């Protein structure tokens, strides 16, 4: 089974109540690839970086089974740069700087070796690029998952609406669901968004878990209650990586299996927030992942006598 991951590869600079990260490696596709590579290989990465992106980080991804043929390197230009600051509750953040740099005119080219991939995750980046990738695939993948953010709703809403008609699963956070639908109630928002194209909608609510909507069904997965959340950056992408990784590994795209995939996504996201950037994701083993999944099973498992 193979998976194409499209998204940003970036330099991030993050400020939380616990400290400042300095310039570190981030980007939606970076988090997704690090996470999904625990479940499937190869990961066929599509992105763009500048000449300043460290070769060591590309090598580390390659060692995890991430194919980089679809990652363009623009030698004389700077990589995408994003900086953000978290508030005390760590659920809300302000974007301080978004410098698109090489991402601004990124024209993705899908390598021949990526054709025939069964799964596609369109991580957060311009909807135009997301559309271009779908259009270049000769065979439609079994499942296309789309992640996006408020930034693209503000600067490229028409393209975003177009790509929504081309995908199966949309992943956004609660604020973005409200912005996209114009509805405050998440149930009403979901109903509206499900008429825009995707058959499945996942609404992420940070430390309050995630909701999966499909037709008239709703499923809820909690987030693991953690003593300390150190840096939530990339948690959404990590969630996406765990979700698609599990589906691609099991090759089962039923609603029932998506419920499990959401739990896997939540478990992976709970690692991501423990350290700055991708540092925690780089350390974890299969044993760590299994132990965390067991914690989730315990968290939601209960018996009940019906009255
Ligand atoms: P998340 O915390 O899951 O929303 O993802 C954070 C990551 O998204 C960071 O590593 C950023 O580099 C990346 N990012 C932030 N803004 C954008 C954007 N407009 N397009 C693509 N990637 C972005």
């Amino acid at each position: 089974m193979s998976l194409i991951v499209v998204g940003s590869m970036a330099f991030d600079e993050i400020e939380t109540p616990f400290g400042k990260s300095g310039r570190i490696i981030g980007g939606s596709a970076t988090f997704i690839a690090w996470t999904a590579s625990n479940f499937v290989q190869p990961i066929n990465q599509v992105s763009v970086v500048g000449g300043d992106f460290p070769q060591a980080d590309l090598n580390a991804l390659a060692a995890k089974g991430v194919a980089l043929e679809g990652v363009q390197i623009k030698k004389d230009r700077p990589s995408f740069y994003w900086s953000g600051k978290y508030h005390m509750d760590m659920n809300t953040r302000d974007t301080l700087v978004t410098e698109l740099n090489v991402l601004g005119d990124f024209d993705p080219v899908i390598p021949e070796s990526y054709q025939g991939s069964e799964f596609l995750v369109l991580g957060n980046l311009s909807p135009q690029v997301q559309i271009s990738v779908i259009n270049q695939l000769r065979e439609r993948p079994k499942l296309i998952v789309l992640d996006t953010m408020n930034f693209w709703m503000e600067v490229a809403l028409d393209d975003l609406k177009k790509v929504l008609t081309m995908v199966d699963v949309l992943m956004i956070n609660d604020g973005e669901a409200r912005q996209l639908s114009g509805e405050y109630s998440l149930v009403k928002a979901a109903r509206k968004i499900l008429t825009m194209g995707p058959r499945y909608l996942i609404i992420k609510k940070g430390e309050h878990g995630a909701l999966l909507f499909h037709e008239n069904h709703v499923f809820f997965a909690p987030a693991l209650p953690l003593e300390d959340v150190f840096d939530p950056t990339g948690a959404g992408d990590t969630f996406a990586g765990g979700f698609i990784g599990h589906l691609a590994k099991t090759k089962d795209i039923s609603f029932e299996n998506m419920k499990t995939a959401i739990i896997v996504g939540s478990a992976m996201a709970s690692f991501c927030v423990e350290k700055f950037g991708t540092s925690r994701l780089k350390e974890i083993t299969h044993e760590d992942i299994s132990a965390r999944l067991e914690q989730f099973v315990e968290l939601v498992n209960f018996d009940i006598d019906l009255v």
Side-chain angles (χ1 to χ4, degrees):
M1 73 241 87
S2 46
L3 164 67
I4 299 179
V5 172
V6 185
S8 54
M9 294 176 77
F11 283 113
D12 287 350
E13 220 164 325
I14 300 147
E15 195 177 328
T16 75
F18 302 105
K20 294 181 179 181
S21 69
R23 242 167 107 86
I24 56 171
I25 297 299
S28 53
T30 312
F31 284 100
I32 297 171
W34 269 106
T35 308
S37 63
N38 288 292
F39 303 92
V40 278
Q41 292 184 2
I43 306 281
N44 293 326
Q45 189 89 334
V46 177
S47 191
V48 63
V49 296
D52 51 1
F53 200 85
Q55 187 62 42
D57 286 273
L58 296 174
N59 294 347
L61 281 169
K64 283 286 278 184
V66 181
L68 299 172
E69 211 186 324
V71 177
Q72 298 173 18
I73 301 177
K74 306 277 182 196
K75 271 206 177 124
D76 304 323
R77 298 179 54 195
S79 299
F80 174 67
Y81 171 83
W82 177 81
S83 108
K85 182 177 175 172
Y86 288 86
H87 298 215
M88 204 54 215
D89 71 356
M90 297 289 256
N91 267 330
T92 46
R93 74 179 174 208
D94 294 327
T95 289
L96 302 178
V97 184
T98 299
E99 285 172 12
L100 290 175
N101 299 328
V102 288
L103 206 60
D105 54 2
F106 176 38
D107 188 10
V109 180
I110 299 299
E112 193 53 36
S113 59
Y114 289 14
Q115 291 290 347
S117 293
E118 293 170 272
F119 293 87
L120 168 62
V121 57
L122 297 164
N124 184 20
L125 87 181
S126 122
Q128 244 179 352
V129 171
Q130 295 172 324
I131 292 169
S132 162
V133 170
I134 298 177
N135 286 338
Q136 287 180 57
L137 298 176
R138 286 196 294 275
E139 206 179 312
R140 190 190 192 277
K142 238 165 107 160
L143 193 80
I144 304 180
V145 176
L146 175 81
D147 192 359
T148 189
M149 74 186 293
N150 51 353
F151 179 85
W152 301 111
M153 292 176 197
E154 280 143 33
V155 305
L157 187 60
D158 287 344
D159 284 334
L160 180 60
K161 285 189 172 162
K162 186 170 172 207
V163 71
L164 281 177
T165 66
M166 304 167 89
V167 304
D168 303 297
V169 184
L170 171 66
M171 267 181 199
I172 42 179
N173 69 31
D174 43 359
E176 290 155 356
R178 291 185 171 117
Q179 187 171 340
L180 184 62
S181 64
E183 295 284 353
Y184 189 80
S185 148
L186 291 181
V187 175
K188 284 187 183 160
R191 202 174 296 139
K192 234 183 188 171
I193 293 169
L194 287 175
T195 65
M196 297 178 176
R199 287 176 298 126
Y200 299 88
L201 170 68
I202 295 171
I203 299 183
K204 299 168 288 183
K205 290 159 54 88
E207 66 170 327
H208 305 299
L211 293 159
L212 166 66
F213 294 90
H214 172 57
E215 294 172 347
N216 290 322
H217 309 286
V218 194
F219 174 72
F220 172 71
L224 194 68
L226 292 168
E227 222 163 283
D228 292 309
V229 172
F230 188 77
D231 170 22
T233 307
D237 309 311
T238 303
F239 178 94
F243 177 79
I244 195 76
H246 174 77
L247 294 180
K249 179 183 164 188
T250 53
K251 288 189 167 200
D252 172 357
I253 56 169
S254 65
F255 183 69
E256 282 309 306
N257 199 40
M258 280 194 195
K259 293 181 182 176
T260 311
I262 284 201
I263 299 286
V264 174
S266 302
M268 297 308 290
S270 74
F271 286 117
C272 174
V273 303
E274 289 176 342
K275 289 191 177 173
F276 271 132
T278 53
S279 9
R280 187 71 181 112
L281 295 176
K282 289 178 175 168
E283 298 170 350
I284 52 173
T285 62
H286 281 276
E287 288 69 38
D288 293 327
I289 297 172
S290 299
R292 189 79 31 120
L293 284 169
E294 270 169 32
Q295 274 180 279
F296 266 86
V297 172
E298 271 175 43
L299 183 68
V300 292
N301 202 7
F302 61 91
D303 290 321
I304 189 164
D305 290 325
L306 292 177
V307 283

